[in-house]
Amino acid sequence: MRTLVVDHPLVAHKLTVLRDETTASPTFRSLADELVTLLAYEATRDVRVEACDIVTPVAPTTGTKLAAPRPLVVPILRAGLGMLDGMMRLLPTAEVGFLGMVRNEETLEASTYAERLPDDLSGRQCYVLDPMLATGGTLAAAIRFLTDRGADHITAVCLLAAPEGCARLEQELTGLDVPVTVVTAAMDERLNEKGYIVPGLGDAGDRLYGVVG
C-alpha cells in the first residue's frame, strides 16, 4: 500500500478552514468540494490512458484519452457523497457506484447496508471516496468488497488520515494482489478513545449535512 500526503499550500489552507469548528455547513461543503478536486489531481496520476489520433485546426497529431473500461468512482455513504462533485470535476466521463457502510461505534467494525455497483469489476480502476481514514475498518471493508468483484486497482481519496488507520488498512490488505494508494490532505496525530481523528475536524458527515437521528 502506498500513502501520499499532498503537500500544497492551497490544500493546507482549505483544510485549516475545514478544521475550524466555527465553519458552517455551507462553507464546509464548498471547501470540501474544492479540496477534493485538488486531491483528485494527484489521485489520478496513475489513471489508465491510451493514445488516440486527432486532427487539430493545423495538423493531425496523436493525443491521449482515458482507456476503457472507464474508471469507477465509489463514494462511501453518506459522507463520501460530499466528495463526489469535486472528484467528478476532473473525471466527468467516469462511472459512479455507491457503497453504504456504517461503523459500529462500540466495536468500530464496518458493515455494508447498501450497494449500487456492477457485479463484475474485472479490469476496473476504482476511486473510493471516504473523508476520514480513522480506524481503517470501513475503508478496508470497502476495498475488499471492490476487489472481490474483480477491481484490479484502487485509489482511496481521504480528507484526513490517522496513523492507526493506515497501519490497520495495510494489515487487513496483506496478501491482496491489487495496488492500493491512499491520497490524503494530511496525516494527523492519532485517534482518541472514541476512534476519532485528533486534531481532526469532527464528524465529516455531520459537518457536511447536519446531525441526523
Side-chain angles (χ1 to χ4, degrees):
M1 186 185 86
R2 183 170 67 103
T3 302
L4 173 62
V5 179
V6 178
D7 182 15
H8 191 284
L10 284 180
V11 169
H13 165 69
K14 293 178 189 299
L15 180 58
T16 298
V17 182
L18 287 178
R19 290 187 190 275
D20 192 333
E21 65 179 2
T22 66
T23 299
S25 288
T27 304
F28 191 96
R29 285 194 297 269
S30 177
L31 283 172
D33 179 78
E34 295 171 9
L35 180 54
V36 171
T37 298
L38 294 174
L39 297 178
Y41 180 80
E42 296 295 338
T44 53
R45 284 192 179 274
D46 294 327
V47 68
R48 292 170 183 157
V49 296
E50 59 187 17
C52 64
D53 294 326
I54 62 169
V55 179
T56 78
V58 179
T61 189
T62 300
T64 300
K65 67 177 182 178
L66 294 181
R70 289 182 288 171
L72 181 69
V73 178
V74 184
I76 298 179
L77 305 179
R78 70 177 166 139
L81 283 177
M83 304 172 68
L84 182 58
D85 287 346
M87 190 73 188
M88 296 303 289
R89 189 169 292 115
L90 286 192
L91 281 177
T93 60
E95 293 183 336
V96 179
F98 297 94
L99 190 56
M101 307 196 82
V102 63
R103 185 179 75 166
N104 185 303
E105 295 302 327
E106 294 182 0
T107 66
L108 303 183
E109 297 297 324
S111 59
T112 303
Y113 65 85
E115 61 94 358
R116 184 70 174 178
L117 293 162
D119 292 331
D120 185 5
L121 294 175
S122 299
R124 299 294 291 269
Q125 279 186 297
C126 293
Y127 293 87
V128 182
L129 309 181
D130 191 11
M132 314 295 282
L133 174 47
T135 64
T138 298
L139 189 54
I143 291 172
R144 283 288 187 182
F145 192 100
L146 296 171
T147 55
D148 285 347
R149 293 200 177 183
D152 66 356
H153 190 281
I154 305 287
T155 300
V157 181
C158 306
L159 301 182
L160 286 180
E164 297 95 328
C166 288
R168 178 178 175 183
L169 185 61
E170 190 157 15
Q171 180 182 16
E172 293 205 10
L173 298 180
T174 299
L176 184 68
D177 191 23
V178 171
V180 174
T181 300
V182 174
V183 178
T184 184
M187 183 68 67
D188 272 12
E189 297 172 11
R190 59 183 174 85
L191 297 180
N192 64 15
E193 65 280 359
K194 294 183 178 180
Y196 283 92
I197 298 176
V198 178
L201 50 75
D203 186 293
D206 288 350
R207 297 200 64 189
L208 282 163
Y209 304 117
V211 179
V212 178

